[in-house]
Amino acid sequence: MKSFYITTAIDYANGSPHLGHAYEKVLTDVVARFRRAKGDSVYFLTGLDEHGQKVQQSAEKQGVSPQEFCDSVAEEFQALCRNLNISNDDYIRTTEARHKQVVRDFQQSLFDKGEIYKGPYNGFYSARQEQFLQERDRNEDGSWPEIFGEVSEISEENYYFKLSQYQDWLIGYLQENEDFIFPRFRQKQVLEFLKEPLNDLCISRPKSRLAWGISLPFDEDYVTYVWFDALINYLTASGFMEGDTSRWPADYHVIGKDIMVPAHSIYWPIMLKACDIPLPKHLLVHGFWTSSGAKMSKSTGNTVNPLDLADKFGVDSFRYFVTREMNVGQDSDFSEEQFLRRYTSELANDLGNLVSRLQNMVTRYTDGVIPAASIEDDEEKDLKTLWAETSGKVVHLAEGFQFHQALEETFQFIRSINRYVEQRAPWKLAKSEEAGDRALLETSLAVIAEGLRLASIVLGPVMPSTSDKIQRLLGSEPVQTFSDNLVWDFRLEGKSVGEKTILFPRPEK
Ligand code: MSP
């Protein structure tokens, strides 16, 4: 069976991880865990983009070799993955031998097919973006936009990939495969970009100017342009070039909107097409986080450190917040006030309190054992019906990457359990001497436990440890799949609840 193969972008090794990197990993992890829960065999790849001028310069600044520099950055990014409980199956670094080999094989194959030629370049170059500039890149007043940094005029020989001859093919492909990019409006942006003629892509840099890269197999005086090298990581890790077809083509490349055009939507499909390799099935393009309304940047010092937040509020709270707050595809703003609002009202009150209340009541009224349900009045029926609707919606929304909505539905269900607790008021039933009240008390505890069990399972992809914890507190072994585990069947009857735990403690000031 072919795996569901999903990848993140590989992060640049020239800085420390921030909220944008963390978000992309969490989003991809949520998709991966959701697919596993649905029974797919998933292969999840993330990694680090280590070549290029910026890395070489950052290493020089610190007085270490580029490889040493990358090794220490790799540790930081890998720690980010571990700390955020990211379930990646592989971590690729573009300086690994397996990757260099695949890049060189790929280039040699294009070269042998006559898709690469040598030619002169006279024009402008941005070292910061490692990019040759064109007239259309200028501002209206003729100056160069700030993002290019220092722009210099150069004249040199380089190798070019015949990108332009695939323009019409790509336009046709995108028109035929309307769901290549999620969300769809992004695909229109690519088609808009393709209205202008494409230039061939310069895929080399002379070693005299940049040494830190993968040598071209057919001319050792040059290294590979960093994007050409980086994109191939997805193929390297799949094993496709060595004949393993169990993963490639990728099902989704998850990327931010800034690297869709031209890298992922133009260069990458054309590179593969030219090499006769199947295209990835989809790109999943997410938006950008701003921080309290402003663009995050190192110079203004407003980058959000995801690990500080995870330390302070717990990893799952961080994962919950970014998934709940961002409508995949749109941009979103991060502020500590909004984080605290959701933490307090949704996680600590709606969910955390409900779990401790149930534990308290079961401990006091039924000797710590979840009782049987014997009554089904309207209140019980309503909750059960609501669950059937909710679980259907949650799965459907998650399949369409509407995770923020899926969480909203789940929390509406959790709030309905809370209302049920108030309606039934088990603490009153426990004091009552009336016939039938004992059965109603036991039923209400069983219903609350069942609702919580089910809610905790669908929260699993977003909050894996919280989900496991709740299931254990309800006396059961955590389950890894949805299927019949999402059926309302009171399977907790007779289980003993765990020690009282505060899932979401009040944060220290
Ligand atoms: N190295 C390239 C990607 C090569 S993929 C073959 C790169 N690296 S990056 O470190 O700059 O970005 C990594 C990912 O993080 C990208 O998908 C990017 O869009 C995402 N984000 C970076 N800043 C972001 C935000 N502020 N918000 C959300 N995601 C952002 O590009």
Side-chain angles (χ1 to χ4, degrees):
M1 186 173 79
K2 185 189 167 300
S3 305
F4 178 85
Y5 180 31
I6 188 164
T7 66
T8 69
I10 49 173
D11 304 311
Y12 279 132
N14 65 328
S16 291
H18 59 60
L19 178 62
H21 304 122
Y23 170 68
E24 187 170 290
K25 289 182 183 23
V26 171
L27 168 64
T28 313
D29 192 52
V30 171
V31 179
R33 287 177 186 269
F34 171 71
R35 287 290 180 149
R36 289 195 200 103
K38 287 201 23 182
D40 286 341
S41 135
V42 172
Y43 199 78
F44 171 7
L45 172 73
T46 183
L48 200 61
D49 188 355
E50 304 191 1
H51 290 125
Q53 195 134 1
K54 282 183 253 184
V55 173
Q56 186 174 303
Q57 282 165 352
S58 303
E60 271 162 20
K61 252 190 230 155
Q62 288 199 4
V64 296
S65 73
Q67 190 63 59
E68 279 173 307
F69 180 80
C70 289
D71 289 348
S72 81
V73 175
E75 261 171 46
E76 241 186 299
F77 274 91
Q78 284 171 328
L80 176 78
C81 290
R82 274 196 307 279
N83 291 331
L84 292 178
N85 205 354
I86 304 300
S87 63
N88 54 302
D89 298 286
D90 193 358
Y91 191 92
I92 189 165
R93 298 181 52 188
T94 53
T95 50
E96 287 169 336
R98 59 169 172 164
H99 179 64
K100 291 183 188 163
Q101 187 58 48
V102 170
V103 170
R104 288 164 64 90
D105 290 349
F106 195 99
Q107 284 170 332
Q108 189 65 53
S109 148
L110 287 180
F111 190 76
D112 294 344
K113 287 184 157 89
E115 299 282 348
I116 290 175
Y117 62 90
K118 196 172 187 185
Y121 177 81
N122 304 306
F124 293 92
Y125 183 74
S126 151
R128 185 187 296 170
Q129 296 299 332
E130 295 176 44
Q131 190 184 326
F132 297 96
L133 303 177
Q134 295 158 31
E135 285 307 315
R136 75 170 176 189
D137 294 321
R138 286 187 194 267
N139 289 324
E140 272 176 16
D141 65 3
S143 61
W144 296 105
E146 232 182 85
I147 51 156
F148 294 129
E150 197 182 318
V151 173
S152 49
E153 209 169 350
I154 58 170
S155 168
E156 64 189 27
E157 291 255 285
N158 265 310
Y159 287 91
Y160 291 85
F161 166 50
K162 294 181 181 169
L163 198 74
S164 57
Q165 66 182 16
Y166 289 94
Q167 179 155 6
D168 290 342
W169 164 79
L170 183 59
I171 293 171
Y173 184 85
L174 293 173
Q175 282 166 344
E176 263 167 46
N177 296 275
E178 285 183 343
D179 65 348
F180 181 61
I181 305 178
F182 179 92
R184 291 208 177 179
F185 73 89
R186 297 262 177 229
Q187 186 137 335
K188 299 209 176 82
Q189 294 175 347
V190 180
L191 284 165
E192 206 46 46
F193 186 90
L194 285 167
K195 283 186 176 155
E196 298 277 323
L198 287 177
N199 290 321
D200 285 346
L201 177 66
C202 179
I203 60 154
S204 66
R205 300 292 183 264
K207 277 191 185 161
S208 52
R209 196 150 63 70
L210 171 68
W212 185 236
I214 301 177
S215 303
L216 295 187
F218 42 80
D219 190 339
E220 299 284 334
D221 290 338
Y222 289 85
V223 296
T224 310
Y225 168 46
V226 66
W227 265 109
F228 200 89
D229 153 359
L231 286 162
I232 294 175
N233 89 85
Y234 305 129
L235 195 62
T236 304
S238 77
F240 182 83
M241 295 293 265
E242 291 87 56
D244 184 345
T245 52
S246 65
R247 296 179 192 126
W248 195 261
D251 291 80
Y252 281 93
H253 292 317
V254 180
I255 57 169
K257 64 178 184 179
D258 59 324
I259 57 171
M260 177 182 75
V261 177
H264 282 83
S265 61
I266 294 176
Y267 299 165
W268 186 224
I270 294 182
M271 283 162 69
L272 291 164
K273 169 76 181 163
C275 239
D276 287 324
I277 297 175
L279 265 47
K281 291 186 197 156
H282 308 279
L283 306 180
L284 173 52
V285 184
H286 62 77
F288 256 51
W289 285 94
T290 50
S291 165
S292 303
K295 186 172 182 290
M296 284 191 296
S297 87
K298 273 189 225 158
S299 50
T300 54
N302 70 340
T303 50
V304 177
N305 183 339
L307 292 182
D308 288 350
L309 281 163
D311 274 351
K312 203 158 150 194
F313 297 96
V315 174
D316 278 2
S317 309
F318 175 78
R319 294 174 58 109
Y320 173 78
F321 179 76
V322 292
T323 315
R324 174 65 189 81
E325 195 68 17
M326 178 81 96
N327 176 347
V328 177
Q330 312 286 315
D331 295 337
S332 209
D333 185 53
F334 184 94
S335 75
E336 198 140 339
E337 297 81 66
Q338 178 68 347
F339 189 105
L340 263 178
R341 215 171 294 139
R342 289 204 185 277
Y343 180 84
T344 312
S345 77
E346 293 159 21
L347 296 179
N349 289 348
D350 293 344
L351 179 59
N353 278 351
L354 178 61
V355 173
S356 19
R357 274 177 111 179
L358 175 71
Q359 280 181 295
N360 279 340
M361 294 189 292
V362 171
T363 307
R364 285 172 69 175
Y365 308 139
T366 55
D367 293 328
V369 176
I370 298 172
S374 54
I375 294 175
E376 199 177 49
D377 283 346
D378 284 351
E379 286 80 356
E380 286 74 27
K381 267 193 214 134
D382 287 351
L383 211 53
K384 188 173 158 186
T385 312
L386 180 65
W387 170 252
E389 286 166 16
T390 303
S391 60
K393 276 191 208 161
V394 165
V395 170
H396 179 73
L397 287 164
E399 277 167 351
F401 310 113
Q402 303 298 294
F403 298 111
H404 65 302
Q405 272 300 112
L407 286 174
E408 175 56 24
E409 292 290 337
T410 309
F411 272 77
Q412 275 180 24
F413 175 71
I414 291 168
R415 283 188 281 273
S416 300
I417 311 178
N418 276 309
R419 277 194 297 275
Y420 173 84
V421 175
E422 294 303 321
Q423 271 168 358
R424 281 293 181 228
W427 49 94
K428 285 187 191 152
L429 297 170
K431 285 190 205 140
S432 157
E433 310 261 300
E434 267 181 53
D437 277 359
R438 180 73 201 171
L440 200 52
L441 166 68
E442 291 182 358
T443 297
S444 66
L445 298 184
V447 165
I448 301 163
E450 183 64 358
L452 265 174
R453 175 183 77 82
L454 294 161
S456 74
I457 294 173
V458 291
L459 286 175
V462 180
M463 300 202 280
S465 358
T466 303
S467 168
D468 286 4
K469 253 191 228 164
I470 297 178
Q471 293 178 70
R472 288 217 172 84
L473 289 173
L474 297 173
S476 61
E477 264 308 295
V479 296
Q480 307 301 329
T481 52
F482 286 175
S483 64
D484 65 342
N485 291 317
L486 295 191
V487 177
W488 182 285
D489 60 8
F490 293 115
R491 67 181 69 175
L492 297 173
E493 183 187 331
K495 304 271 190 215
S496 301
V497 297
E499 294 253 314
K500 193 177 168 194
T501 318
I502 305 216
L503 290 175
F504 303 100
R506 301 237 165 272
E508 285 164 29
K509 283 266 178 269

